Amino acid sequence: MRNVADLPLHGGHVPAWLAQRMRRLTRLVLVLAVEEYGTKGLLERLSDPVWFQAFNNVIGMDWDSSGSTTVTAGMIKDALWREELGVKAAGGKGKKSRATPEELRRIAELYDLDPEPYVRTSRLVAKVDTVALQTGYGLYHHVFFLDEEGNWAVVQQGMNERERMARRFHWFDAETFTLDPHKAISGLRREFALNTVSKEAKEYQKTLLDVVQEDPVKIERELESLKALAKGYRPLVYYKPRNVNEVSILRRYESLGRFELNKRALEFARELSVSNYEEFLLLKGLGPSTLRALSLVLELVYDVHPSWKDPVTHPPDPFKFTYAVGGKDRVPFPIDKPAYDELISFLEELVSRHPWERALVRNVTKITKNWKFPEEDKRAT
């Protein structure tokens, strides 16, 4: 089954004539969604990759572009700040993502919420998708949605510059951040991923917390022995018997990048006596390279393994929503400006109508529910 979107990295920008229409349509869809489902219902839908991608397709953005995340999330954030619907958004792409804590504090003040749990959550979900789950994608986009009741959702995206691909991570009101925490992940499935937040990694997390209480010098010595093994000769260390191929494990880690310890981060772990995996992930200086190094030591010295399963999800395909007004890059057809303007006018009229009149429209939409789009129309932009 195909993914919702392959999300190749695309450059360029949205032309002004289209961006203006996108903003108007985005606002109308959000108003109707909140009136129909409430703010929590909207957040649930934003954290659903099918609904999010369908939203992107309806407003005319490329169906298979990395911009389907950055542009759509940006349009939604802008509309939520212009309209008082009981939900706001913080963060964005690049430098805007670093403004997330400050913006979350502003939102929390508006809704009379304690901001610190959400600031911590923002940091933690970013750490999970850069450190705890490693698939070769570096985060460059992070948007945090927060409603007046304290419900939250996160849509963030990473890129693999070498492969020119992106991957989108969806979160919603997670009760745990360390055991299968994602609502969904959209992108191309990889053969393997260093996944330390899988339910299969419970023993791994427990052992790692024990190991980081040891002297960082000892851990570094074990890592250097393993590096020697990678260079082709066996170091003088005792290895437990196991049924795994050491060389293939080393190659697997090497494919993800360097593995170098940040000893200062490990010293912090000892000083603070970190007692759970969340606290460990939030340590200052803990990056992907350090966790790879620790994971390698755990696998080859302690015979404790993380999960190597890529948690990418494969939901249904919402490509048919591109037929609403067309696509920016002319797939399945160029943007139909008259149809786009007519759709905006219709929805503006719908927003002003009584709820019982909107029910008639919902019944009409059921006609298209099982419509199948022509497969030949779905081509890369």
Side-chain angles (χ1 to χ4, degrees):
M1 185 188 297
R2 288 184 63 86
N3 292 323
V4 165
D6 295 342
L7 302 179
L9 297 180
H10 282 186
H13 66 282
V14 179
W17 62 264
L18 178 56
Q20 179 263 339
R21 288 173 169 86
M22 282 182 171
R23 290 189 185 95
R24 292 177 66 189
L25 183 53
T26 294
R27 171 191 165 272
L28 291 165
V29 172
L30 291 173
V31 168
L32 290 168
V34 170
E35 289 186 2
E36 185 76 14
Y37 307 112
T39 56
K40 184 176 182 180
L42 173 64
L43 296 183
E44 285 182 292
R45 284 159 178 79
L46 291 174
S47 64
D48 179 340
V50 176
W51 199 90
F52 186 93
Q53 197 69 34
F55 194 132
N56 166 84
N57 295 352
V58 162
I59 66 174
M61 189 57 195
D62 308 334
W63 73 270
D64 65 342
S65 165
S66 58
S68 68
T69 305
T70 56
V71 171
T72 303
M75 291 286 176
I76 294 171
K77 178 185 177 181
D78 182 63
L80 291 176
W81 277 103
R82 290 173 182 270
E83 196 83 19
E84 187 45 66
L85 298 177
V87 57
K88 302 290 185 190
K93 179 181 176 182
K95 291 181 180 179
K96 292 180 180 178
S97 68
R98 294 190 284 276
T100 305
E102 179 185 339
E103 291 181 335
L104 281 175
R105 291 186 176 95
R106 182 180 165 196
I107 297 168
E109 185 178 0
L110 283 174
Y111 294 149
D112 196 25
L113 299 168
D114 178 4
E116 296 315 310
Y118 304 107
V119 172
R120 182 182 186 275
T121 294
S122 173
R123 288 182 57 218
L124 191 51
V125 299
K127 266 299 188 79
V128 167
D129 289 337
T130 52
V131 178
L133 174 61
Q134 297 187 32
T135 55
Y137 291 81
L139 282 189
Y140 70 101
H141 173 271
H142 172 95
V143 173
F144 195 111
F145 300 95
L146 179 61
D147 78 359
E148 58 193 353
E149 297 173 356
N151 301 300
W152 62 269
V154 171
V155 177
Q156 56 189 11
Q157 185 159 281
M159 73 165 74
N160 185 314
E161 293 189 74
R162 182 174 57 83
E163 297 180 1
R164 302 293 300 165
M165 296 298 292
R167 169 176 290 213
R168 187 167 64 231
F169 305 87
H170 292 261
W171 295 73
F172 174 72
D173 274 358
E175 294 182 2
T176 173
F177 295 88
T178 57
L179 295 172
D180 293 339
H182 297 89
K183 179 73 177 292
I185 300 176
S186 184
L188 294 177
R189 186 183 297 279
R190 298 179 71 87
E191 183 181 356
F192 60 83
L194 176 57
N195 183 359
T196 71
V197 288
S198 165
K199 287 181 179 176
E200 299 173 4
K202 281 185 179 180
E203 183 185 358
Y204 164 93
Q205 293 180 12
K206 181 177 181 299
T207 305
L208 183 143
L209 293 173
D210 291 339
V211 168
V212 296
Q213 297 305 319
E214 298 180 1
D215 186 345
V217 173
K218 178 187 175 186
I219 300 172
E220 185 179 46
R221 192 183 306 122
E222 291 171 331
L223 179 63
E224 291 304 315
S225 295
L226 295 176
K227 287 182 178 179
L229 173 63
K231 292 176 182 175
Y233 60 90
R234 195 174 185 87
L236 298 175
V237 226
Y238 173 73
Y239 289 93
K240 298 179 182 178
R242 54 194 165 275
N243 297 319
V244 294
N245 184 296
E246 293 170 338
V247 175
S248 68
I249 289 177
L250 284 162
R251 295 293 174 262
R252 189 179 287 177
Y253 279 95
E254 288 174 337
S255 72
L256 290 171
R258 298 170 58 196
F259 33 93
E260 300 290 341
L261 285 175
N262 182 334
K263 286 197 292 184
R264 187 65 188 130
L266 299 186
E267 288 166 1
F268 279 138
R270 291 187 77 194
E271 290 170 10
L272 298 173
S273 299
V274 291
S275 59
N276 62 64
Y277 200 47
E278 285 185 17
E279 291 177 8
F280 175 74
L281 290 175
L282 288 171
L283 284 172
K284 185 178 180 180
L286 178 70
S289 179
T290 295
L291 190 68
R292 282 196 293 273
L294 289 169
S295 298
L296 182 63
V297 170
L298 259 63
E299 284 220 67
L300 291 184
V301 177
Y302 296 90
D303 196 25
V304 175
H305 309 278
S307 169
W308 285 97
K309 292 180 181 177
D310 189 349
V312 159
T313 44
H314 290 279
D317 190 340
F319 182 75
K320 68 181 181 181
F321 291 93
T322 59
Y323 291 86
V325 296
K328 179 175 77 69
D329 278 358
R330 308 172 73 86
V331 176
F333 50 82
I335 295 290
D336 185 335
K337 292 182 184 179
Y340 208 136
D341 293 340
E342 189 174 341
L343 175 61
I344 289 172
S345 296
F346 173 78
L347 291 180
E348 286 176 340
E349 178 70 17
L350 186 65
V351 165
S352 67
R353 289 177 178 271
H354 295 296
W356 67 268
E357 292 179 282
R358 295 179 197 166
L360 296 175
V361 178
R362 283 200 298 273
N363 289 330
V364 172
T365 61
K366 292 177 182 178
I367 298 171
T368 64
K369 190 171 184 180
N370 297 316
W371 177 73
K372 304 292 184 183
F373 60 84
E375 286 290 339
E376 62 273 16
D377 283 357
K378 188 176 184 182
R379 58 191 188 277
T381 61

